[in-house]
Amino acid sequence: MNANKTRRESRGAQVSAKRLRDIAFLVYPEFQIQDLSGPLSAFDIADRRAGGGTYRCHVVSMDGGNIVSTSGMEVVTRKIRATPYDTLIVMGGLGSHDPSQMPSISAYVSAYLSPAVLRGTRRIASVCTGAFILAAAGLLDDRPATTHWQHAIRLQRMFPRVKVDGDRIYTRDGDIWTSAGITAGIDLALAMIEDDVGTAIAQQTARTLVVYYRRPGGQSQFSAMADLEPESDRIRTVLAYMREHLGETLSTEKLAAVACLSPRQFGRAFLAETGETPAKAVERLRVEIARPRVERGGEPIERIAQSVGFIDPERMRRAFVRLLGHPPQSIRRMAV
């Protein structure tokens, strides 16, 4: 019965692959070239793996012509058309949150997405800071969304109606998709491909791209807490204290005392400035410190877990899976 089910699913995937889907990638001055190249390659490879006639990719801009990326590389674009595409994906880049450019780009997106186009466009998505453009166009109001972790707090402040989750690789809310930066755009594309033509084509695409098939959208971006720059000295002091005392019990009460705030005030302030709860931040720092030691080998996993404050290996294993998608033993094997 399982074999029959597999054959039926395979036939269904082949039939669905015959439907041609127009995928439009919207770029603008100062877009990130890798935000474009990763997802574009995924759809192109998937089309070939499915035997052609599945995807037709379009690189578009507001007015067409050559568009210069942040790297200085130019891409040739067509003017975005007035009729719907199957999928519209807005790229990230400096231009997406540059005050001098974002209003005109988001206004154009808003104007393009007329009721008729919205009804005809099956999916609208963003890669990395492309979420700023969708948010400015009002498409993310009251929806969950993500972006690169470094920009999540700013996105939330600029657009308070958006339910920003800066700790996800990608989000999906009905026909609206958002993803974190660069490689997360590939994860988003693979998820779309799986939805369209089945797991087999998506897996073949991932193997061709030499990427994991596939990181779940809810997996953490594994942001480097060390790179965070909170606004207040109090929260900076707490982060420094965390790094220096990871082997100790770091309760909210203890960290609040370091910040000279009540636990409730501290929790709100820490979340507002870092996008993390104190407990998640501590866990993330411990994983960041433990990971290179796990990869180097030579130290027992149990010793590493205790030294960075996980108490026991099982807690570290759960944290690694949650943040990295793999347990410590797998991380060690992959590093060899």
Side-chain angles (χ1 to χ4, degrees):
M1 186 167 67
N2 288 339
N4 290 334
K5 180 180 178 183
T6 300
R7 283 194 292 272
R8 286 197 302 272
E9 289 176 346
S10 176
R11 286 196 298 272
Q14 291 170 0
V15 170
S16 65
K18 299 305 177 184
R19 174 188 167 192
L20 182 61
R21 300 167 177 87
D22 286 311
I23 313 295
F25 300 87
L26 178 62
V27 302
Y28 44 81
E30 302 268 357
F31 77 96
Q32 168 57 254
I33 191 73
Q34 289 177 297
D35 285 356
L36 170 65
S37 61
L40 178 61
S41 296
F43 283 108
D44 174 55
I45 291 167
D47 181 69
R48 286 185 275 119
R49 292 292 175 268
T54 300
Y55 295 115
R56 182 168 53 196
C57 296
H58 310 261
V59 181
V60 302
S61 62
M62 293 185 288
D63 299 310
N66 288 5
I67 302 295
V68 182
S69 69
T70 55
S71 68
M73 181 180 293
E74 294 186 21
V75 297
V76 180
T77 71
R78 295 180 179 179
K79 182 175 181 177
I80 192 169
R81 70 192 190 195
T83 54
Y85 298 95
D86 174 86
T87 303
L88 175 67
I89 306 177
V90 180
M91 301 299 99
L94 295 177
S96 64
H97 51 102
D98 180 344
S100 68
Q101 294 189 50
M102 189 179 70
S104 61
I105 299 170
S106 58
Y108 194 92
V109 171
S110 298
Y112 164 76
L113 293 170
S114 64
V117 170
L118 275 174
R119 284 194 297 270
T121 301
R122 185 166 61 96
R123 293 181 299 217
I124 300 170
S126 63
V127 178
C128 197
T129 54
F132 282 78
I133 293 173
L134 296 189
L139 295 173
L140 301 184
D141 287 354
D142 305 313
R143 291 179 181 268
T146 194
T147 187
H148 192 287
W149 65 269
Q150 287 181 312
H151 301 282
I153 296 173
R154 185 181 178 202
L155 180 65
Q156 187 66 83
R157 288 174 179 164
M158 289 179 64
F159 305 100
R161 289 189 60 182
V162 181
K163 300 175 182 177
V164 179
D165 186 346
D167 199 38
R168 294 179 67 87
I169 290 175
Y170 65 84
T171 65
R172 178 184 184 180
D173 185 54
D175 57 355
I176 302 292
W177 301 58
T178 58
S179 75
I182 300 179
T183 59
I186 297 176
D187 292 295
L188 178 142
L190 289 172
M192 289 180 170
I193 291 164
E194 183 181 51
D195 258 17
D196 293 343
V197 294
T199 301
I201 297 298
Q203 286 178 329
Q204 292 172 30
T205 301
R207 285 197 292 269
T208 302
L209 289 167
V210 197
V211 297
Y212 288 116
Y213 179 79
R214 67 181 160 74
R215 296 184 296 172
Q219 183 181 317
S220 171
Q221 293 183 36
F222 188 57
S223 58
M225 293 295 294
D227 290 339
L228 288 179
E229 289 294 338
E231 292 182 349
S232 70
D233 289 338
R234 287 182 175 184
I235 302 304
R236 282 195 290 270
T237 299
V238 169
L239 283 173
Y241 183 89
M242 285 180 180
R243 297 182 193 111
E244 293 167 5
H245 297 83
L246 280 181
E248 304 174 10
T249 300
L250 295 174
S251 65
T252 298
E253 290 73 20
K254 178 183 282 190
L255 297 174
V258 173
C260 299
L261 295 169
S262 71
R264 186 175 179 181
Q265 289 175 317
F266 168 67
R268 287 200 301 262
F270 193 91
L271 180 63
E273 294 193 34
T274 68
E276 297 268 1
T277 65
K280 282 189 175 181
V282 169
E283 179 182 76
R284 190 181 299 283
L285 280 168
R286 284 174 172 153
V287 169
E288 290 185 3
I289 297 300
R291 181 181 186 176
R293 292 171 60 179
V294 167
E295 290 175 332
R296 284 195 297 268
E299 280 185 277
I301 298 294
E302 294 79 3
R303 182 185 300 168
I304 297 172
Q306 290 178 351
S307 68
V308 299
F310 277 115
I311 302 176
D312 61 71
E314 177 57 23
R315 292 192 184 186
M316 187 168 83
R317 187 194 70 80
R318 291 198 298 267
F320 265 59
V321 171
R322 187 158 46 246
L323 293 172
L324 303 178
H326 300 277
Q329 290 82 356
S330 295
I331 295 290
R332 177 165 283 181
R333 285 196 297 270
M334 288 188 288
V336 173

